[in-house]
Amino acid sequence: MRHQLVLVIDFGGQYTQLIVRRVRELGCYSEMVPWTKAAERLRESRPSAVILSGGPRSVLEEGAPNLDFSLIKGVPTLGICYGLQLMAHRLGGRVVSASEKEYGRRHLTGVRASSLVDGLANDQVWMSHGDQVEESPSGFVTTAQTDTCRVASFENRDERQYGVQFHPEVSHTPDGRRILRRFLFDVAGLDGDWTSQNFISDEIHRIRERVGDEQVLCAVSGGVDSSVMAALLTQAIGARAVCVFVDHGLLRHREAEQVIETFSKTFHPHLVVIRAADRFFSALKGVTEPETKRKTIGAEFVRCFEEHADELKGCRFLAQGTLYPDVIESGSPTAAKIKTHHNVGGLPDWMRMEVIEPLKWLFKDEVREVGRQLGLPDDVVDREPFPGPGLAVRILGEVTPDRVRITQEADWIFRTEILKHGLQKGIWQSYAALLDVRSVGVMGDERTYENPIVLRAVQSEDAMTAQAYPFPFEFLEHVCNRIVNEVQGVNRVLYDLTSKPPATIEWE
Ligand code: XMP
């Protein structure tokens, strides 16, 4: 494990990941751990600082998320919202259920000199809580209030324990970054040397140690994550990083050719290409349930890789471009399992190869930065994310070659038009999905009874949340006309306006 870890203990707060991101932006390595696993983690290794997240529960409820504070004795600690309340509750203060929920912008008053929150350029903070600290524990001083909150922040300098009722990690607390910076550097004395360059050298060292003289099969999809992973492995172990690209027939129009060309032109001349569309279509025959689809595809991928590894006379390792959000979303005990991202939860038990996931602690923008540092070209680094199971998760119902054809054609029109109109900037992902309902239409005096296409384009920072892209109406109308006129098998086009949450970016 890396030294100087800032461990963020997650009590189920909606901003916990944002805390991790903010800490990393300040140059300190940070990971989050659900509160249920915190004790185990803290016994394994001692972090350099701890941040306790917010959370939806009340510390006063029976069975509320908890922490054994003796495990972090002496470790600089910052409690945020629920974290502050838990500190107060467990260390001898008093928390009460407030008559009114405090939500939104507030201003700090009565700020105590030379405290963590002293001397901010802007006293506006973002609150979102029901309970409040009524009395700080002994040894703590209250360092700020708001008009409705008696303890907006407190601290016990001797024990290096700090708490804020508001959220310094959100942009609605304009000086939140300064508070975090003070905590990390002035209180905890961290070095702030977490940079992509250090990540690369650490990771190369780790990969070499783990792999020894063995070969590693790098599963590449042409997407940013697996390309960066492959570049990192190649830098670590040279030609023993065997890059394999499976064309499962579920890619976008002309995508396979583009991937092969980019790889051979840029950094890896020996890309092994496995053409496997037929076997994926056979495996997917009759499969309509989204999770079964993902698992079927995951298993088929592994079969392809293992067969290839056998041909290579043994590749003990399989490297994948799994990212931190995949790890989190694939089911931590506090986050409900939304989908099996095939490169995390969907690997079959019978798989023989050991998995290497060098990027699994990084967010997408960090991966892009690592890619740039490794010298990957912009068109690889800035590519739109594309899911491993490909169009299968954008084709509702059964995946057949003809339904793939329809989706590819509609998708191609949509994305070509986006580029033609110069709208790509600011779009995180854009695609066409095919539904499995049919509706009646009329074309050239004939009745039609076909599937609709849904267009989806979202803005996002890290795929954890997303909003629909606000296209001009005329643009959507134009794309719709082209699709119904040019793509055989489609008689209606819809635009998906739903944000994430409550929807997800992919339809399945
Ligand atoms: P959702 O649909 O969960 O997607 O909002 C979040 C991001 O993850 C991508 N995605 C995947 N990536 N394997 C991947 O490598 C997968 O199985 C997978 N499923 C979704 C999705 O495109 C979006 O960027």
Side-chain angles (χ1 to χ4, degrees):
M1 207 220 303
R2 294 167 183 89
H3 61 287
Q4 293 221 308
L5 167 71
V6 178
L7 191 65
V8 177
I9 300 179
D10 179 24
F11 294 101
Q14 55 176 325
Y15 304 125
T16 311
Q17 270 197 60
L18 204 52
I19 303 174
V20 175
R21 293 175 59 85
R22 294 287 171 262
V23 172
R24 290 188 185 190
E25 280 163 18
L26 291 167
C28 302
Y29 182 67
S30 175
E31 282 176 26
M32 66 191 251
V33 62
W35 67 275
T36 47
K37 301 243 172 94
E40 191 185 322
R41 183 67 195 270
L42 288 163
R43 282 191 196 102
E44 267 168 25
S45 57
R46 196 173 163 83
S48 303
V50 164
I51 298 183
L52 311 176
S53 86
R57 306 274 300 272
S58 163
V59 294
L60 305 170
E61 280 169 31
E62 199 165 321
N66 208 343
L67 177 72
D68 176 355
F69 277 79
S70 69
L71 294 172
I72 52 171
K73 194 159 173 48
V75 180
T77 300
L78 173 67
I80 295 177
C81 195
Y82 184 91
L84 158 122
Q85 293 163 11
L86 189 65
M87 258 176 159
H89 186 62
R90 294 297 309 275
L91 300 176
R94 199 157 68 88
V95 175
V96 294
S97 166
S99 50
E100 253 179 72
K101 197 169 153 63
E102 192 181 34
Y103 186 81
R105 291 184 176 81
R106 290 288 186 279
H107 292 273
L108 295 182
T109 55
V111 175
R112 200 177 163 101
S114 52
S115 67
L116 191 67
V117 293
D118 182 29
L120 302 179
N122 189 325
D123 63 8
Q124 180 190 300
V125 295
W126 184 258
M127 291 284 195
S128 172
H129 62 111
D131 291 353
Q132 290 200 359
V133 175
E134 184 77 4
E135 242 171 66
S136 300
S138 95
F140 280 73
V141 290
T142 300
T143 52
Q145 293 140 20
T146 68
D147 51 0
T148 48
C149 178
R150 189 182 276 195
V151 181
S153 64
F154 64 26
E155 58 193 51
N156 180 341
R157 280 203 191 190
D158 295 341
E159 296 291 333
R160 296 198 288 176
Q161 289 170 323
Y162 294 75
V164 289
Q165 178 58 74
F166 55 88
H167 290 274
E169 69 278 20
V170 305
S171 55
H172 305 292
T173 300
D175 245 0
R177 204 181 155 86
R178 183 178 293 191
I179 297 173
L180 291 175
R181 187 185 290 130
R182 278 186 188 165
F183 171 70
L184 297 171
F185 301 119
D186 302 347
V187 174
L190 298 182
D191 296 336
D193 58 359
W194 159 252
T195 59
S196 46
Q197 207 49 56
N198 285 348
F199 169 84
I200 293 170
S201 45
D202 277 8
E203 218 42 57
I204 287 179
H205 176 71
R206 215 185 306 271
I207 292 166
R208 284 182 184 152
E209 270 203 340
R210 172 142 183 229
V211 169
D213 298 331
E214 306 265 350
Q215 301 194 90
V216 178
L217 194 155
C218 301
V220 305
S221 67
V224 191
D225 313 339
S226 60
S227 302
V228 173
M229 173 278 289
L232 190 60
L233 263 292
T234 305
Q235 201 157 106
I237 57 169
R240 281 183 293 119
V242 182
C243 295
V244 179
F245 169 60
V246 175
D247 176 1
H248 51 16
L250 304 166
L251 297 167
R252 296 173 145 192
H253 181 55
R254 303 230 299 242
E255 186 143 32
E257 289 65 34
Q258 271 173 14
V259 170
I260 296 165
E261 196 186 314
T262 314
F263 256 70
S264 57
K265 268 202 196 141
T266 52
F267 72 101
H268 210 289
H270 307 299
L271 181 66
V272 179
V273 180
I274 302 179
R275 305 271 180 193
D278 291 347
R279 62 190 282 178
F280 277 83
F281 283 123
S282 314
L284 286 168
K285 214 175 179 90
V287 178
T288 56
E289 201 280 318
E291 279 297 283
T292 317
K293 247 186 216 176
R294 282 174 173 273
K295 290 197 167 133
T296 306
I297 293 168
E300 210 50 44
F301 261 123
V302 173
R303 266 186 212 109
C304 289
F305 293 140
E306 295 214 320
E307 285 167 18
H308 190 76
D310 288 344
E311 273 170 37
L312 287 173
K313 307 245 170 346
C315 250
R316 220 180 94 201
F317 299 96
L318 173 70
Q320 306 193 107
T322 311
L323 301 195
Y324 202 28
D326 303 335
V327 175
I328 296 168
E329 287 206 355
S330 280
S332 79
T334 46
K337 176 156 167 176
I338 314 292
K339 310 178 178 178
T340 302
H341 282 196
H342 86 265
N343 47 3
V344 187
L347 295 174
D349 320 336
W350 44 260
M351 186 174 121
R352 284 173 280 142
M353 283 184 284
E354 281 176 45
V355 176
I356 296 188
E357 297 170 318
L359 309 177
K360 83 172 185 189
W361 302 112
L362 301 189
F363 292 100
K364 194 88 175 187
D365 48 351
E366 295 172 328
V367 170
R368 291 196 159 120
E369 189 46 39
V370 167
R372 277 187 201 103
Q373 295 279 344
L374 289 169
L376 293 185
D378 288 351
D379 61 335
V380 174
V381 172
D382 295 329
R383 261 186 110 186
E384 243 186 42
F386 185 69
L391 299 180
V393 295
R394 298 175 177 176
I395 294 176
L396 281 79
E398 193 178 3
V399 181
T400 63
D402 193 50
R403 301 194 80 216
V404 170
R405 191 252 329 145
I406 295 175
T407 314
Q408 282 177 335
E409 289 179 11
D411 186 78
W412 180 254
I413 292 174
F414 184 33
R415 289 189 310 127
T416 312
E417 289 294 335
I418 289 176
L419 286 178
K420 215 157 94 188
H421 286 77
L423 294 170
Q424 69 277 15
K425 207 167 180 314
I427 296 183
W428 170 271
Q429 264 173 291
S430 57
Y431 68 85
L434 182 65
L435 301 192
D436 62 345
V437 290
R438 290 204 283 173
S439 75
V440 175
V442 54
M443 213 172 190
D445 299 333
E446 293 284 344
R447 177 186 193 266
T448 59
Y449 189 46
E450 309 278 17
N451 293 139
I453 277 286
V454 173
L455 303 178
R456 180 118 170 102
V458 295
Q459 300 170 307
S460 177
E461 244 186 67
D462 52 14
M464 298 303 293
T465 58
Q467 300 91 255
Y469 185 82
F471 286 115
F473 183 75
E474 296 69 26
F475 171 81
L476 288 172
E477 208 174 26
H478 172 66
V479 174
C480 163
N481 282 339
R482 272 201 66 190
I483 292 176
V484 285
N485 281 301
E486 295 174 37
V487 183
Q488 202 189 352
V490 180
N491 65 350
R492 239 172 244 272
V493 176
L494 316 171
Y495 185 53
D496 183 352
L497 288 174
T498 330
S499 60
K500 172 183 180 176
T504 52
I505 295 178
E506 304 293 345
W507 267 60
E508 287 190 343

